[in-house]
Amino acid sequence: MRWLIGILINATLFVAIAGFSEESFYVSSFGAAIGASFILSILNILVRPILIILTLPVTLVTLGLFLFVINAITLQITDNIMGSSFEIASFGTALLVAVIMAIANIIIQKVVFEPAKDK
């Protein structure tokens, strides 16, 4: 259930971020955002751990900041899989979206999921 909520939250974030930067980040519909969020979650399960292991020395030297680059790479792969319904103009845009999504997900987890643990 938590995984499904995470997909819906990421899809909402995709639509919101696309609304602010229409030229560099485009999502055609909420359905496309859900599809992109689903693909991104699958990539985070399958590809992201491999990328983290391969780039572990760089990640350690940058004190974990290279993980944003890995997130941007998975967003670029999602862009390639989705086609024209989900477009990211450049790697810089993907990096910015990755940072915004990471910050938003941390805030949402603290607000939504942490109070549920207290009960």
Side-chain angles (χ1 to χ4, degrees):
M1 184 69 176
R2 187 173 174 158
W3 180 68
L4 186 61
I5 292 171
I7 288 177
L8 292 174
I9 289 171
N10 281 342
T12 305
L13 286 172
F14 282 150
V15 172
I17 295 169
F20 286 114
S21 59
E22 295 175 3
E23 292 138 11
S24 58
F25 185 63
Y26 171 75
V27 179
S28 64
S29 66
F30 190 71
I34 290 175
S37 180
F38 179 76
I39 290 171
L40 183 64
S41 69
I42 297 298
L43 289 173
N44 282 338
I45 292 169
L46 299 176
V47 176
R48 189 169 183 262
I50 296 167
L51 291 175
I52 289 173
I53 290 171
L54 291 175
T55 61
L56 191 60
V58 176
T59 304
L60 291 175
V61 168
T62 62
L63 302 174
L65 291 177
F66 196 75
L67 292 174
F68 290 122
V69 174
I70 292 173
N71 290 343
I73 290 169
T74 57
L75 279 171
Q76 290 282 45
I77 295 170
T78 303
D79 173 22
N80 290 336
I81 292 172
M82 285 293 294
S84 63
S85 61
F86 183 83
E87 289 290 330
I88 301 174
S90 65
F91 185 75
T93 303
L95 188 60
L96 181 64
V97 170
V99 169
I100 292 170
M101 287 187 65
I103 292 169
N105 276 319
I106 288 172
I107 293 170
I108 290 169
Q109 283 182 3
K110 293 291 181 185
V111 171
V112 174
F113 294 121
E114 291 296 322
K117 287 184 180 178
D118 293 338
K119 293 180 182 179

